[in-house]
Amino acid sequence: MDFVSLRIVTTDVARLAAFYEKATGARAAWATEDFTEVHTPHGSLALAHSRTLASFAPGACRPGANESVIIEFRVPDVDRLRTSLSGTEIVAEPTTMPWGNRSCLVRDPDGNLVNFFTPVSEAAKAKYGIAATA
């Protein structure tokens, strides 16, 4: 088994795609106006309009109702990314966590929590295969 993607169901695919393109630097790969994916080296974030579920699972998702999942992206420099997120709701400014990641928690345009983080301790860097600093 291989984890491939996480899908966010929304009523505004273009708005979410623009947010994730800006935040990740990756271009969305559009299949239709109702479905796109933002690919990273280790998985994809799929964005789908709520009407894509209507044909086979009506009522299965409520866009903008997530209150228990945090989407996470490892980034090269979370502090630099934070400065580029003007207009984004910042839930927690960049903070170094006890496990060695420097994290910034934001909400995407649909209200989903997104954690952008950079490993800063040697142990956190080692976990992600990042070379130790001298």
Side-chain angles (χ1 to χ4, degrees):
M1 181 186 302
D2 185 18
F3 181 79
V4 177
S5 71
L6 175 102
R7 183 180 308 189
I8 299 175
V9 176
T10 183
T11 57
D12 193 336
V13 178
R15 179 183 65 175
L16 276 188
F19 170 82
Y20 285 102
E21 283 181 327
K22 179 181 178 184
T24 65
R27 300 290 301 160
W30 290 86
T32 70
E33 68 179 345
D34 287 342
F35 186 84
T36 190
E37 294 175 291
V38 177
H39 299 285
T40 74
H42 298 288
S44 298
L45 180 62
L47 307 171
H49 197 283
S50 57
R51 63 182 157 246
T52 63
L53 292 174
S55 63
F56 68 95
C61 289
R62 291 181 313 156
N66 173 28
E67 294 183 354
S68 63
V69 174
I70 300 173
I71 303 159
E72 297 189 304
F73 291 93
R74 188 178 75 222
V75 299
D77 184 339
V78 72
D79 292 286
R80 180 178 293 155
L81 176 66
R82 165 57 184 100
T83 64
S84 73
L85 295 175
S86 62
T88 300
E89 180 185 347
I90 306 300
V91 176
E93 291 289 347
T95 304
T96 302
M97 308 307 290
W99 47 90
N101 291 334
R102 187 152 174 80
S103 297
C104 180
L105 193 63
V106 307
R107 289 200 186 275
D108 74 11
D110 272 10
N112 298 300
L113 283 171
V114 183
N115 180 37
F116 295 105
F117 72 94
T118 301
V120 293
S121 73
E122 294 307 318
K125 290 177 183 179
K127 176 182 175 181
Y128 293 101
I130 299 169
T133 55

